[in-house]
Amino acid sequence: MDTKSFSLQNEQKTETYQVCSRCIYDSRTPKIEFDEQGVCNYCKMVDDLKEQYKTGTPEGEAALMKIIEDIKTAGKGKKYDCVIGVSGGTDSSFMVSKALEWGLRPLAVHYDNTWNTAIATENIRKVLGKLNVDLYTHVVDNKESDDIFNSFFKAGVPEIDGPTDIALAEVLYRAASKYKIKYILEGHSYITEGISPLGSFYADGKYIKSVHKKFGKIKMKTFPNMDFKSFMKWILVKRIKKIRPFWYIQYSKEDARAFLEKEFDWQYYGGHHLENRMTAFMHSYYLPTKFNNDQRNNSLSASVRAGLKTQEDALKEYAQPPYIEAELIDYFKKRLGYSDEEFEAVINGPKKSFKDYKTYKRRFEKLRPMFYILAKMSLVPMSFYIKYTSKNEL
């Protein structure tokens, strides 16, 4: 077994542990297993997805082109034939451009949690303006949004930005339903973003309601939560499909970024997840500091698997502190009303997880066979089936 000695961030000691021979996940990673060659189960998940979706091969591209024709057929006679969520980030911006290249007529959808950076807002304006793509936006009340974020912060759980993920999913479905659109395109790429370790993150509508009921002070009115009934309506009644085109084709985030900069004067925001201040706070400071969970290992591992970085270089980069936008922590404290002492008390307080609150997790597990069929039909993402329906995986 290959082991490496590595100085852990936030700790004044050196610990020896096993590192995967193909990426940088190590024995601290939740639910990790290694084979006799030292390859972790997450690398094998990537291999399985490559085989299933024929990613980056002529077969994969042909499969995507067939889906695109299906989208065009379903959208005949309608103003739009697909919905694309936009954040101002690399993947979603490039996804809009590719959709037009494929001859699709997308409606861009944005959920504004009121923590956007100015760069992200401008990126959305530049890309959609030049491409003449319509934008559907849902803006949550800022006090309500802050109250929900504050609830998750006080709850001591990792998923402080989990409400944004659920709200975006709900808004995408609402927009698709309003315009009778049957397809949602997502800009996720497991090749460039990696596989998030099982047990590292969880979110559902019941979880949000449970945490907010215990710690919130303002009634949720404008927040687009997704309860189980709504989820079933979107996938079983409306039968709105979610497609991830980058799972089928060769995709390079670096090439996409260069294209966007050249064609739209699009501006990079410093790193993955940093286009929104709350997301940046969670990934750059909150998770590494409170939970010793630095999720840069997802994309860095992906870069090593793809041969874009050596394992040594990726480990060196991972050993450096995450980039934190100037004044970000002070902005968080001021906006949510925390003194330095109160903020530190929460950061250093008890560590909780979704298991301490009510969720739909057990229900998802019981319905695992159904969700497998739905994933095969693209009515739920395959990643949802892998992570949310597996017993004892979280």
Side-chain angles (χ1 to χ4, degrees):
M1 292 289 193
D2 234 5
T3 60
K4 292 191 178 183
S5 213
F6 197 66
S7 181
L8 297 185
Q9 190 178 318
N10 299 324
E11 295 187 30
Q12 301 300 316
K13 66 179 182 179
T14 299
E15 179 181 335
T16 301
Y17 54 89
Q18 183 175 356
V19 180
C20 175
S21 59
R22 281 183 56 192
C23 69
I24 68 166
Y25 286 157
D26 57 64
S27 49
R28 295 171 296 162
T29 305
K31 307 296 181 183
I32 197 165
E33 298 175 359
F34 300 95
D35 66 14
E36 293 180 355
Q37 286 72 46
V39 179
C40 77
N41 51 314
Y42 296 108
C43 284
K44 292 181 178 179
M45 278 189 192
V46 169
D47 292 341
D48 289 344
L49 289 173
K50 281 184 177 180
E51 177 60 30
Q52 182 177 346
Y53 289 89
K54 306 298 181 184
T55 310
T57 68
E59 293 88 346
E61 185 168 342
L64 177 60
M65 291 303 106
K66 171 63 170 62
I67 293 172
I68 288 172
E69 289 305 313
D70 291 342
I71 295 173
K72 291 177 180 178
T73 299
K76 282 184 178 178
K78 301 172 185 176
K79 187 174 183 179
Y80 314 105
D81 53 23
C82 61
V83 161
I84 301 175
V86 294
S87 66
T90 307
D91 302 327
S92 63
S93 299
F94 191 67
M95 184 80 268
V96 175
S97 180
K98 291 298 291 184
L100 290 174
E101 181 183 317
W102 293 326
L104 298 176
R105 294 173 286 110
L107 171 66
V109 173
H110 179 62
Y111 168 66
D112 188 351
N113 67 6
T114 71
W115 285 68
N116 283 344
T117 62
I119 291 176
T121 301
E122 271 298 288
N123 283 344
I124 292 173
R125 183 190 66 79
K126 289 175 181 177
V127 174
L128 300 186
K130 185 171 182 179
L131 294 176
N132 196 28
V133 171
D134 292 339
L135 176 64
Y136 175 105
T137 300
H138 180 101
V139 183
V140 67
D141 178 82
N142 66 313
K143 292 183 179 179
E144 186 179 328
S145 177
D146 289 354
D147 188 55
I148 296 169
F149 286 138
N150 207 4
S151 298
F152 273 77
F153 188 56
K154 290 179 178 178
V157 295
E159 301 88 358
I160 188 172
D161 195 36
T164 299
D165 293 337
I166 297 301
L168 173 59
E170 174 68 12
V171 170
L172 288 168
Y173 279 127
R174 289 183 186 182
S177 178
K178 179 178 180 178
Y179 292 97
K180 296 181 172 54
I181 301 168
K182 292 298 182 182
Y183 289 86
I184 295 171
L185 303 188
E186 296 185 322
H188 180 270
S189 167
Y190 72 87
I191 295 294
T192 62
E193 297 179 36
I195 297 292
S196 181
L198 301 171
S200 63
F201 194 87
Y202 182 87
D204 69 35
K206 189 173 184 178
Y207 184 24
I208 293 168
K209 186 176 180 180
S210 173
V211 169
H212 184 256
K213 183 178 181 180
K214 185 169 183 178
F215 297 100
K217 296 179 180 179
I218 300 175
K219 186 175 181 180
M220 286 196 296
K221 293 181 179 179
T222 65
F223 178 77
N225 200 14
M226 187 194 300
D227 59 20
F228 189 79
K229 183 178 179 181
S230 294
F231 186 34
M232 292 298 100
K233 178 180 73 173
W234 301 134
I235 62 178
L236 295 180
V237 180
K238 299 289 186 176
R239 300 183 72 80
I240 299 170
K241 295 187 176 185
K242 284 192 172 183
I243 306 297
R244 292 178 168 178
F246 298 154
W247 283 36
Y248 295 88
I249 62 176
Q250 192 70 36
Y251 174 63
S252 163
K253 191 182 289 283
E254 290 74 19
D255 290 347
R257 189 179 303 141
F259 171 83
L260 294 169
E261 290 171 348
K262 179 181 178 182
E263 296 295 325
F264 305 102
D265 191 29
W266 180 94
Q267 187 176 349
Y268 188 45
Y269 34 85
H272 190 43
H273 296 307
L274 303 186
E275 65 268 36
N276 181 274
R277 287 191 180 91
M278 180 54 73
T279 314
F281 173 80
M282 182 179 83
H283 286 278
S284 297
Y285 178 81
Y286 180 66
L287 290 179
T289 304
K290 185 175 178 71
F291 297 93
N292 195 28
N293 180 355
D294 184 348
Q295 294 202 332
R296 289 178 303 163
N297 63 352
N298 297 341
S299 56
L300 286 171
S301 288
S303 294
V304 175
R305 292 188 198 103
L308 300 176
K309 292 181 186 289
T310 65
Q311 186 185 63
E312 182 180 4
D313 286 343
L315 286 169
K316 285 180 179 178
E317 185 174 339
Y318 192 51
Q320 299 302 312
Y323 168 80
I324 301 178
E325 178 189 350
E327 311 300 329
L328 177 61
I329 297 173
D330 288 338
Y331 178 84
F332 180 94
K333 294 177 187 176
K334 182 177 181 180
R335 179 157 174 174
L336 295 189
Y338 283 92
S339 66
D340 292 344
E341 293 75 17
E342 291 169 335
F343 178 82
E344 291 299 327
V346 176
I347 292 295
N348 297 316
K351 299 178 180 65
K352 301 287 187 178
S353 79
F354 76 95
K355 296 177 182 177
D356 296 300
Y357 302 93
K358 295 179 180 179
T359 72
Y360 293 127
K361 182 65 172 65
R362 288 189 177 180
R363 187 179 299 184
F364 291 151
E365 291 173 2
K366 291 179 181 178
L367 295 173
R368 180 175 171 82
M370 179 189 77
F371 282 117
Y372 177 75
I373 295 172
L374 294 175
K376 285 291 188 180
M377 297 171 64
S378 297
L379 290 168
V380 297
M382 183 58 69
S383 58
F384 172 89
Y385 168 76
I386 293 171
K387 292 190 65 175
Y388 280 48
T389 70
S390 299
K391 290 185 179 180
N392 302 318
E393 290 290 12
L394 293 166

